[in-house]
Amino acid sequence: MSAIASTDPGGKNRGVTADLALDEINKQIIEHLQRDGRMSYATLAKTIGLSEAAVRQRVQRLLDGGLMQIVAVTDPLTLGFARQAMVGLKVNGDLRAIADEIAAIPEVDYVVICAGGFDLLVELVCTDDEHLLDLLNEKVRTIKGVAVCETFMYLKLAKQTYAWGTR
């Protein structure tokens, strides 16, 4: 069975069928690494019932195939980024082109094309309110096609998880 690429480091192949089989063993590997991305190959092998070499090969194929990433998740506040915001954009023109232009802004860590009240949702990570204002005023709102820009400033992150499992 082929799987839909659930993660793509470059963002180019999201939603494209991967050539990698997402069998029950690969699903177990993904689920364990979602809970603990630092789990050693030896521990993972023992847990799943494979050799360490087999687990290492499978993990590498999952990474190379774009089905998963292993990254360090940080708390922006501890790194000096005191202001986060979600920005809803209504745009005119090619959604994909505008999403790509927004995604090229270094302070943007999340862009999604969506249906509903906004065409795009964009997450920004900034050092302070002045940085956010400069970013919105000089980079986001100046992009051709951006018609409406509504900012939702984060007060507190109540939940963030990456352990949603597999299907």
Side-chain angles (χ1 to χ4, degrees):
M1 139 180 163
S2 275
I4 300 300
S6 60
T7 349
D8 176 28
K12 302 285 187 212
N13 297 317
R14 213 173 275 272
V16 177
T17 302
D19 292 333
L20 183 62
L22 192 57
D23 61 15
E24 288 307 312
I25 292 173
N26 284 344
K27 286 180 181 182
Q28 287 180 45
I29 290 171
I30 290 169
E31 288 171 0
H32 284 290
L33 290 173
Q34 281 179 327
R35 285 191 292 276
D36 179 5
R38 296 177 62 200
M39 183 179 284
S40 71
Y41 291 129
T43 303
L44 194 51
K46 192 180 298 181
T47 304
I48 304 238
L50 292 176
S51 71
E52 187 175 337
V55 167
R56 184 180 292 110
Q57 289 173 349
R58 282 179 175 263
V59 168
Q60 193 59 53
R61 282 197 303 262
L62 290 167
L63 293 168
D64 292 345
L67 274 102
M68 71 174 190
Q69 297 175 292
I70 299 174
V71 298
V73 178
T74 61
D75 177 356
L77 283 174
T78 63
L79 299 176
F81 297 101
R83 176 57 64 210
Q84 288 180 273
M86 182 66 67
V87 179
L89 299 176
K90 293 181 184 180
V91 302
N92 300 313
D94 184 346
L95 290 175
R96 289 182 187 101
I98 295 170
D100 288 345
E101 195 168 345
I102 295 280
I105 299 170
E107 294 90 346
V108 171
D109 71 350
Y110 176 86
V111 178
V112 64
I113 298 172
C114 56
F118 296 102
D119 299 310
L120 301 173
L121 291 176
V122 177
E123 186 176 61
L124 305 174
V125 179
C126 304
T127 53
D128 55 27
D129 289 340
E130 189 64 31
H131 184 200
L132 176 61
L133 178 59
D134 289 345
L135 185 60
L136 291 170
N137 199 48
E138 296 170 19
K139 293 186 180 177
V140 175
R141 295 183 63 176
T142 60
I143 293 174
K144 184 178 180 192
V146 172
V148 174
C149 177
E150 187 170 344
T151 304
F152 303 90
M153 294 180 22
Y154 294 3
L155 298 176
K156 179 183 179 192
L157 181 62
K159 179 179 181 179
Q160 183 175 19
T161 183
Y162 299 97
W164 48 78
T166 60
R167 299 285 178 258

